Amino acid sequence: MTNDRETTMNDDHVLVLDAVAKSYAGVLALAPTSFAIEKGEFLTLLGPSGSGKSTLLKLIAGFETPTSGAILLRSLDISGLSPAQRQLGMVFQSYSLFPHLTVAKNIEYGLKRRKWSAERRRARVAEMLAIVKLEHRANALPAELSGGQQQRVAVARALAYDPDVLLMDEPLGALDRTLRLEMESEIKRIHGQLGTTFIYVTHDQQEAMHLSTRIAIMNNSQVVALGRPDDLFRNPPNVFTAEFFSDATTVAAEVDDRTRFRFEAGGDGSWAAPAGTAPGRYTFGIRPRAARLGIVEGAPVLRGTITSSMLFGDEVRLFIDADVVSGLRVVIPSRANTFAPGDRVDVSIPWEDAILLPNAPVTSRAFHAGATR
Amino acid sequence: MAKLLDIVVRSLGRIALAAIVIVILAPVVVVLLISFSDQVRFAFPPGGFGWRQYQELFRDPVWMESIGLSLSLALPATFLAVAVALPVSLIAQRSKLPGRNLLQGTAVASIIIPTTALAVGLFTLYSRLGLTSTNLGLIVAQAVLALPIVLIGITTGLSKISRTPEFAAMTMGASLTRALLEITGRALLPAIVASAIMGFLHAFDEVVIVNFVGGPGQVTLPKAILDSVQNQTDPVITAAASLLMIGSALLMAVAAIVGRIASRRRRG
């Protein structure tokens, strides 16, 4: 039904979302979303719960049908196809292995559905077991494996038939912290080794940063930012991304006609804004590691009182109630921490590390990387 | 004071527990003991030990036929109950079909309706349909009785099974039907077996409805025992009752073991 829609395609695009939207009984679950994913990418859908990331993943997987728009997999509109017809792999948060089948039989399942010969299946299962380093557990039942091992089987099982895209729905959510970090490296290694396109859903920005080649940040049922993790982190395009992804504290600010910058809530000073900054109202974002204690020449300064501190090994996180904003977080090296709660401090934010977002009326940026209507 | 009260309450609890166990187990023990007596009349304490009751039971074709009839009614009734319970529990748990709760409620209604009332109703209905005195009529009636037990067992089992393995199978290329049968169905199998056993025992044990809608030739084992008590006092029935109890206990044990295997799997 959407075949007559004009779609310009780049050959490298494995998956294209063309204005895909979903609503349940009139309630919007996903606003029209368009972007394209290149072969071999590791794209993460990152957002708080209820932001629409799971809905988007379900639409791609085929467990939900879009209310409008199209999903193209290798130029083929798959919007109306069942999950089984989509040539995708999927890993769920709950390991979801088949409890009555051994590790090897679990991995073999998708190959059997695709009617691979017994010989090919045996070879491929051995290969996948080697990739996830579980050769020695081939004949174990899922209940005999640890959580991390089970999730590795789930990954091997979903990748065995060489799907076009591997979808992962918070795959590390059920694991404890140490195991999560270990599995992150495993997933990254497997992605590098196989070159399969991964689409990964998580609410954990650290996880997203560690793994992704690109991140789509979602909030209120729409993609609010899409880009490389380092770009998004240093130059968030909007307040939500600055707060949620860059972990920034935001302060209302303004720039006057003489490009003097000042905080709206007063404060005594004004500073020269970077050259070319247009006059207007802005949101100023302060990342915990962008702030310096003390005065830095030319940088905006906040004065505040340290309320508490938290040790993270080599680093200390100070919580500061500043004159223009409370709950400011500043991370400094532990060895430099000569401060105590109650101390008055100056917090400077050098312009090259600061986030300055114009308070334009909120328009959702279009992400037409390849797909245009 | 409070401590004394505590002790009194606790002792009373223990006495009550002991009383309940005795009240339930005493008749069982008495019946078992008499079944191994050599007397031709009821007597307790039983006189000498002997196999007389069991020899009589297996020699008398009436008893053997009643056991055969009971099995030939209760087994198909169980299959029928399972065949109805599976789709009903799937619909009740997974669909958004309007009236699905009513459907489930109707299916378990026979557990609430007094059996005698149900029997009268069935008799009236069967008279019109010409189903009185037929094996089919009894099979359907027993299935109605077994259905609540089977349905509750299967529904409970289904509610404990996560759907994500089924979803995973679908992403790996299995159709909805195939994923349902191969993955969820396989996981549900222990619950199906266990609840079928319970349903079978319930159907096998039924005696009120067979008295209403059964014909003169349709003497099931429970009915034969009842008839025997009403007409004479032959201690053979203690052997029949003992076998019934032992058989039931064994089947219950099987159901329990099957259930335990299933929950061990699920822990993974």
Side-chain angles (χ1 to χ4, degrees):
Chain A
M1 67 191 149
T2 46
N3 287 346
D4 52 357
R5 180 169 289 170
E6 257 186 60
T7 339
T8 54
M9 283 286 305
N10 180 326
D11 284 347
D12 288 341
H13 289 155
V14 174
L15 191 80
V16 175
L17 304 181
D18 188 2
V20 176
K22 176 75 181 174
S23 45
Y24 298 97
V27 179
L28 194 69
L30 182 73
T33 300
S34 301
F35 61 82
I37 300 164
E38 284 178 25
K39 185 163 168 42
E41 266 200 271
F42 196 125
L43 181 100
T44 296
L45 307 176
L46 173 69
S49 58
S51 58
K53 58 189 195 299
S54 294
T55 302
L56 181 50
L57 197 74
K58 278 183 197 157
L59 287 167
I60 297 171
F63 293 116
E64 299 286 358
T65 329
T67 311
S68 61
I71 302 168
L72 308 177
L73 184 67
R74 290 170 171 275
S75 319
L76 179 78
D77 186 355
I78 58 165
S79 318
L81 298 184
S82 76
Q85 297 166 313
R86 292 194 179 198
Q87 185 60 17
L88 299 167
M90 184 150 179
V91 175
F92 299 82
Q93 177 177 355
S94 52
Y95 316 122
S96 70
L97 297 181
F98 307 138
H100 61 286
L101 297 180
T102 62
V103 167
K105 289 244 156 59
N106 262 281
I107 297 174
E108 198 185 11
Y109 190 86
L111 307 177
K112 275 191 170 169
R113 294 289 75 76
R114 282 166 176 72
K115 308 215 168 10
W116 285 31
S117 70
E119 206 176 324
R120 271 184 82 201
R121 292 204 304 264
R122 204 162 32 234
R124 184 60 173 168
V125 168
E127 195 183 340
M128 292 317 296
L129 282 169
I131 287 171
V132 298
K133 299 176 182 163
L134 280 174
E135 298 99 321
H136 57 297
R137 301 314 307 267
N139 296 313
L141 284 172
E144 297 162 15
L145 302 180
S146 70
Q149 286 176 329
Q150 289 191 48
Q151 204 53 299
R152 269 146 67 192
V153 176
V155 171
R157 184 178 72 170
L159 284 170
Y161 45 91
D162 196 21
D164 290 330
V165 178
L166 180 70
L167 310 175
M168 302 179 95
D169 189 6
E170 309 226 8
L172 309 183
L175 303 178
D176 63 53
R177 211 181 117 77
T178 327
L179 208 51
R180 245 187 357 245
L181 289 172
E182 197 182 307
M183 279 298 291
E184 276 179 16
S185 324
E186 279 293 284
I187 290 171
K188 196 158 188 166
R189 178 182 61 78
I190 292 167
H191 175 252
Q193 194 171 338
L194 296 181
T196 308
T197 312
F198 282 33
I199 299 179
Y200 192 98
V201 163
T202 184
H203 60 263
D204 183 331
Q205 52 272 62
Q206 295 291 328
E207 209 170 284
M209 239 179 291
H210 297 167
L211 293 170
S212 319
T213 56
R214 271 200 306 164
I215 297 175
I217 292 173
M218 298 192 68
N219 189 37
N220 287 334
S221 312
Q222 58 183 321
V223 175
V224 296
L226 177 67
R228 283 172 41 201
D230 49 351
D231 270 356
L232 286 179
F233 184 73
R234 291 190 56 85
N235 305 305
N238 47 46
V239 175
F240 179 79
T241 306
E243 289 176 343
F244 179 73
F245 187 64
S246 310
D247 197 22
T249 307
T250 52
V251 190
E254 59 194 7
V255 173
D256 65 17
D257 299 339
R258 293 174 296 123
T259 65
R260 294 298 291 179
F261 171 95
R262 63 173 57 82
F263 295 109
E264 268 187 13
D268 26 22
S270 71
W271 299 269
T277 309
R281 301 175 72 185
Y282 286 84
T283 299
F284 186 74
I286 307 158
R287 287 186 291 107
R289 283 177 183 78
R292 313 266 186 280
L293 293 186
I295 304 287
V296 173
E297 186 60 37
V301 180
L302 299 167
R303 279 192 64 77
T305 309
I306 295 175
T307 56
S308 64
S309 69
M310 203 182 271
L311 178 67
F312 289 81
D314 281 341
E315 288 178 333
V316 170
R317 178 170 285 230
L318 301 174
F319 295 85
I320 297 167
D321 272 351
D323 301 336
V324 296
V325 62
S326 61
L328 181 67
R329 288 152 289 136
V330 177
V331 171
I332 60 168
S334 297
R335 61 184 145 66
N337 184 21
T338 55
F339 305 97
D343 286 359
R344 290 287 288 174
V345 286
D346 291 320
V347 182
S348 305
I349 305 96
W351 282 112
E352 66 266 28
D353 287 330
I355 298 163
L356 193 60
L357 297 165
N359 281 11
V362 182
T363 49
S364 64
R365 302 205 328 183
F367 303 105
H368 290 272
T372 50
R373 293 180 60 181
Chain B
M1 191 59 203
K3 198 162 193 177
L4 184 70
L5 191 71
D6 201 37
I7 290 167
V8 170
V9 168
R10 204 171 296 170
S11 334
L12 279 177
R14 280 193 190 142
I15 291 165
L17 186 65
I20 290 167
V21 170
I22 288 166
V23 167
I24 291 173
L25 282 184
V28 175
V29 173
V30 169
V31 168
L32 273 172
L33 286 176
I34 297 177
S35 79
F36 288 108
S37 79
D38 54 2
Q39 307 285 308
V40 291
R41 305 193 154 276
F42 271 101
F44 196 81
F49 173 84
W51 294 101
R52 187 256 167 196
Q53 321 305 349
Y54 290 92
Q55 282 163 350
E56 279 296 310
L57 180 72
F58 286 110
R59 202 175 53 213
D60 191 339
V62 174
W63 287 107
M64 288 299 99
E65 276 167 27
S66 69
I67 292 174
L69 178 67
S70 278
L71 286 175
S72 71
L73 296 178
L75 282 174
T78 307
F79 277 107
L80 187 57
V82 171
V84 174
L86 279 174
V88 169
S89 62
L90 268 178
I91 289 167
Q93 290 220 340
R94 296 206 169 164
S95 77
K96 293 187 171 71
L97 198 73
R100 62 186 186 281
N101 290 331
L102 185 68
L103 179 70
Q104 200 175 15
T106 311
V108 295
S110 76
I111 216 167
I112 310 160
I113 300 170
T115 319
T116 341
L118 189 67
V120 172
L122 277 174
F123 181 72
T124 322
L125 183 69
Y126 279 12
S127 302
R128 289 184 175 226
L129 298 174
L131 278 173
T132 48
S133 312
T134 62
N135 280 0
L136 178 64
L138 284 178
I139 289 170
V140 171
Q142 291 190 353
V144 168
L145 284 180
L147 184 57
I149 291 168
V150 176
L151 183 64
I152 290 167
I154 289 178
T155 306
T156 310
L158 191 61
S159 71
K160 285 180 187 160
I161 295 169
S162 157
R163 271 195 94 171
T164 48
E166 196 180 309
F167 291 146
M170 285 161 71
T171 61
M172 282 187 275
S175 64
L176 176 61
T177 318
R178 180 169 207 132
L180 192 63
L181 290 178
E182 248 178 33
I183 306 305
T184 304
R186 178 62 182 72
L188 191 61
L189 199 56
I192 296 174
V193 170
S195 47
I197 289 173
M198 303 292 282
F200 170 77
L201 289 175
H202 201 66
F204 193 91
D205 202 29
E206 130 62 26
V207 73
V208 177
I209 288 175
V210 75
N211 266 314
F212 274 79
V213 299
Q218 292 180 301
V219 185
T220 60
L221 182 61
K223 181 163 163 56
I225 293 174
L226 193 67
D227 290 349
S228 168
V229 181
Q230 279 166 345
N231 303 336
Q232 79 251 21
T233 48
D234 190 335
V236 164
I237 63 163
T238 60
S242 297
L243 286 183
L244 201 52
M245 288 190 299
I246 292 166
S248 302
L250 286 178
L251 281 178
M252 298 273 274
V254 171
I257 290 166
V258 167
R260 191 165 302 174
I261 292 170
S263 69
R264 194 172 306 158
R265 278 263 173 79
R266 250 195 316 269
R267 241 174 282 149

